[in-house]
Amino acid sequence: MTEKTEKVALTPKTHTTPPAKFSHGVKKGNILQVAGQVGFLPAVEGQPPTPAGPTLREQTLQTLANVKSVLEEGGATWDDALMIRVYLTDVDHFGEFNGIYDQYFEEQGLTAPPSARTTVYVGLPAGLLIEIDALAVLDS
C-alpha cells in the first residue's frame, strides 16, 4: 500500500488570511492549486485588503504577482503552470486583458508557453475587475 501524501496549505507572507475556510493555495504531492487571486496589494498588518488601483492594468499585474507568490510559496514557477483560469467582470475588458497578459508573460522569461487558459465573465465584489487561479505540476 502506498503512503498518502499530505495536503499543505499555502499562504505567502504578502497575503492576508482568507475570509473563509480555504487557502490561497494547496499542494499535495507534485500538484499545486492556486486559489482565485485578486488585485490586492501586499497585506499590511491591521489594514483591510486594498486593490492595486481602479484600472484593469493595475489589478491584472497585481493579480498575476499574487498568483506568482502562491506558486513560489509552493516551490513552483510559471513554467510549472499547466492551466490558468481568468475571471473578468466585463466582456469589454477581454482585448485589453489579452494585451496585458501577453506582455506580462513575454517579460517572465519562460522556457515554454505559459499554459492553457480559460477566460469567463463573473461578478466580483465592488471595485474588483479580475480574478485568476492556476494549476501547477512540479517535477517529482
Side-chain angles (χ1 to χ4, degrees):
M1 189 162 137
T2 60
E3 190 175 314
K4 213 169 181 192
T5 306
E6 295 285 322
K7 282 196 300 186
V8 177
L10 304 171
T11 300
K13 293 183 185 347
T14 55
H15 288 51
T16 59
T17 301
K21 291 212 173 271
F22 65 88
S23 303
H24 286 287
V26 66
K27 183 177 174 184
K28 184 170 179 167
N30 67 336
I31 305 292
L32 191 163
Q33 175 65 55
V34 178
Q37 301 293 302
V38 294
F40 287 144
L41 293 169
V44 176
E45 184 80 30
Q47 292 185 9
T50 306
T55 70
L56 181 64
R57 173 171 285 287
E58 290 166 312
Q59 288 191 28
T60 297
L61 293 175
Q62 186 62 53
T63 300
L64 288 165
N66 293 343
V67 171
K68 185 177 180 181
S69 292
V70 180
L71 288 170
E72 290 173 347
E73 184 75 13
T77 69
W78 284 119
D79 277 321
D80 299 308
L82 294 183
M83 181 65 183
I84 296 174
R85 286 172 291 269
V86 178
Y87 309 90
L88 295 172
T89 60
D90 188 335
V91 69
D92 290 336
H93 287 162
F94 187 72
E96 180 183 357
F97 169 75
N98 278 337
I100 297 165
Y101 182 90
D102 287 350
Q103 181 181 6
Y104 175 85
F105 280 108
E106 284 173 14
E107 295 170 358
Q108 295 304 302
L110 303 181
T111 58
S115 67
R117 190 186 101 192
T118 297
T119 304
V120 297
Y121 303 95
V122 299
L124 291 172
L128 294 176
L129 304 174
I130 185 168
E131 183 172 352
I132 298 174
D133 72 54
L135 175 66
V137 177
L138 290 80
D139 294 330
S140 297

